[in-house]
Amino acid sequence: MATGKINVQTENIFPIIKKFLYSDTEIFLRELVSNAVDASQKLKTLSSLGEFKGEVGKLQVEVILDKEAKTITIRDNGIGMTGEEVDKYINQIAFSGAEEFVQKYKDTDGAAAMIGHFGLGFYSSFMVSEKVEIRTLSHKEGSQAVSWTSDGTPEYTLEDVEKETRGTDIIMYVAEDSIEFLEEARINTILNKYCKFLPVDIKFGTKTEYIDSPTG
């Protein structure tokens, strides 16, 4: 198991994310589902190019609600990540000028727009969570599955785990001030609002039907 500090310019970027980047907390679900869809599309692309020889199968994104555990999980069976990729894409955030940008545009729509520019979509999960875990297994042959965990401070743990299926689970341990998102109706409303026309089927984990989509 490895521990370390996320590479950010400020001592703690998370309060900035929570306070300024989003005017509407529910956008976290859109960001994470979009990331999962991207991971699925990347695998499809690699397969079409002949760079992935394995079985793609039916690509989908699943949203799983566990009221008892107070968790929301976003699961995909897409490209996945190696431990090195988690370190690169999650820990080593390029925040050059990010804090200044947020402070300058915090009262405008520009704050939310910067998410894509700085690659902060994943970190929107901390808006509603007291802890977030990533469990992921890369599509690359012979890869070792890993788990990354953080409680919303720059400290994290990264360790090898057992995971049989390719892809990534983002597990959010929902904070007390965000328990509204543990309601099925709330999640279903957000999915239909933001995720209705994505190119991959979105399955709400506690239901059997799919969110409407062009492929569904």
Side-chain angles (χ1 to χ4, degrees):
M1 181 177 73
T3 61
K5 268 198 173 185
I6 297 164
N7 182 22
V8 295
Q9 296 293 325
T10 61
E11 176 60 27
N12 194 341
I13 198 71
F14 298 105
I16 297 174
I17 294 172
K18 296 189 74 166
K19 189 172 183 181
F20 297 133
L21 291 189
Y22 294 96
S23 58
D24 194 344
T25 309
E26 68 181 25
I27 293 175
F28 83 93
L29 194 57
R30 181 195 70 184
E31 296 291 335
L32 296 174
V33 168
S34 294
N35 284 352
V37 169
D38 286 346
S40 303
Q41 294 294 84
K42 286 177 181 176
L43 185 70
K44 186 184 295 185
T45 298
L46 290 177
S47 179
S48 67
L49 294 173
E51 295 182 24
F52 174 63
K53 307 294 186 182
E55 181 66 35
V56 173
K58 179 175 176 58
L59 295 172
Q60 70 174 26
V61 175
E62 191 171 4
V63 180
I64 304 166
L65 195 64
D66 188 331
K67 289 187 178 182
E68 185 174 344
K70 295 185 178 179
T71 61
I72 303 170
T73 300
I74 312 298
R75 173 174 294 162
D76 70 69
N77 58 344
I79 197 169
M81 290 183 286
T82 63
E84 291 78 12
E85 288 168 335
V86 170
D87 185 54
K88 178 179 179 181
Y89 298 119
I90 303 298
N91 296 335
Q92 299 179 32
I93 311 168
F95 272 106
S96 177
E99 184 176 8
E100 291 79 8
F101 185 99
V102 172
Q103 294 289 350
K104 183 175 181 180
Y105 294 103
K106 64 183 180 181
D107 296 323
T108 72
D109 291 338
M114 72 172 285
I115 281 293
H117 181 73
F118 288 102
L120 295 177
F122 161 71
Y123 284 98
S124 65
S125 58
F126 286 98
M127 296 185 66
V128 299
S129 308
E130 60 184 15
K131 182 175 75 171
V132 177
E133 179 183 5
I134 302 172
R135 294 179 67 87
T136 184
L137 176 62
S138 173
H139 69 288
K140 297 175 182 177
E141 189 174 353
S143 291
Q144 168 65 52
V146 297
S147 169
W148 176 98
T149 307
S150 174
D151 62 1
T153 67
E155 283 74 26
Y156 67 87
T157 61
L158 180 64
E159 59 186 331
D160 293 348
V161 293
E162 294 295 323
K163 186 178 189 298
E164 295 183 0
T165 55
R166 175 198 70 221
T168 301
D169 290 4
I170 306 294
I171 307 165
M172 290 164 281
Y173 295 81
V174 178
E176 285 300 318
D177 62 359
S178 299
I179 56 173
E180 64 180 283
F181 296 108
L182 291 173
E183 297 300 324
E184 293 181 17
R186 185 76 168 100
I187 295 296
N188 198 57
T189 297
I190 299 170
L191 290 174
N192 278 292
K193 181 178 180 180
Y194 293 114
C195 307
K196 201 169 184 179
F197 300 109
L198 294 172
V200 174
D201 283 327
I202 312 298
K203 183 181 180 182
F204 189 6
T206 57
K207 298 179 180 296
T208 56
E209 71 271 21
Y210 290 85
I211 302 298
D212 293 336
S213 75
T215 59

